[in-house]
Amino acid sequence: MGRCPRCGKGHLFQGYLTLRPSCEVCDLDYAFADTGDGPAFFVMSIVGIVVVALALWAEFTFEPPLWLHIVMWFALSVILSVALVRPLKGVMVALQYHHKAEEGRIQK
C-alpha cells in the first residue's frame, strides 16, 4: 500500500521508488530503512521462475516461433518487474521496522 509502517497513514514513497525522509503524519524517520538489493533479488527470482515456467509451457504446448517468444517474455518480464519492485521494497522497509533491524555491530 506504500504506507508508513508505524501509523499506516503517511506515505512511504516520494516517487516511484524513492523513500520519503520521514512520515508526514507520525514523523517516523525512514533513515533506518536500507533495503539494498533485497527487492531486486526477490523480483528477479519471482519473475525468473514465472517467465521460465510460462515459456516452457508455451513452447511445449504451442511451439511458437522464436521471435514471438522474445517479444512475449521480454514484455512480461518488464511488466512484472515494474509491478513488483515497489511493493517488495515497501515490504522490506516494513519488515525492517517491525523487527527493529539495524546495522550489525561487533560487541567488545
Side-chain angles (χ1 to χ4, degrees), residues 1-107:
M1 301 274 288
R3 301 290 179 189
C4 173
R6 183 194 296 168
C7 68
K9 295 180 177 144
H11 294 94
L12 185 62
F13 295 103
Q14 190 168 347
Y16 187 70
L17 288 177
T18 307
L19 287 179
R20 290 180 180 274
S22 63
C23 176
E24 69 264 12
V25 176
C26 69
D27 284 334
L28 173 65
D29 185 17
Y30 295 143
F32 70 89
D34 181 21
T35 58
D37 292 334
F41 169 77
F42 289 111
V43 167
M44 286 186 304
S45 299
I46 293 167
V47 170
I49 291 169
V50 168
V51 169
V52 168
L54 288 173
L56 287 172
W57 173 77
E59 176 61 31
F60 292 121
T61 305
F62 303 110
E63 296 181 10
L66 183 60
W67 68 268
L68 187 57
H69 271 296
I70 293 170
V71 169
M72 286 191 315
W73 308 126
F74 179 77
L76 183 62
S77 296
V78 170
I79 290 167
L80 284 177
S81 296
V82 169
L84 289 176
V85 72
R86 183 177 168 142
L88 286 175
K89 186 169 184 172
V91 166
M92 296 283 287
V93 170
L95 287 172
Q96 287 177 354
Y97 174 76
H98 177 73
H99 293 290
K100 298 175 179 69
E102 53 185 39
E103 195 170 328
R105 293 183 174 85
I106 298 175
Q107 295 182 4

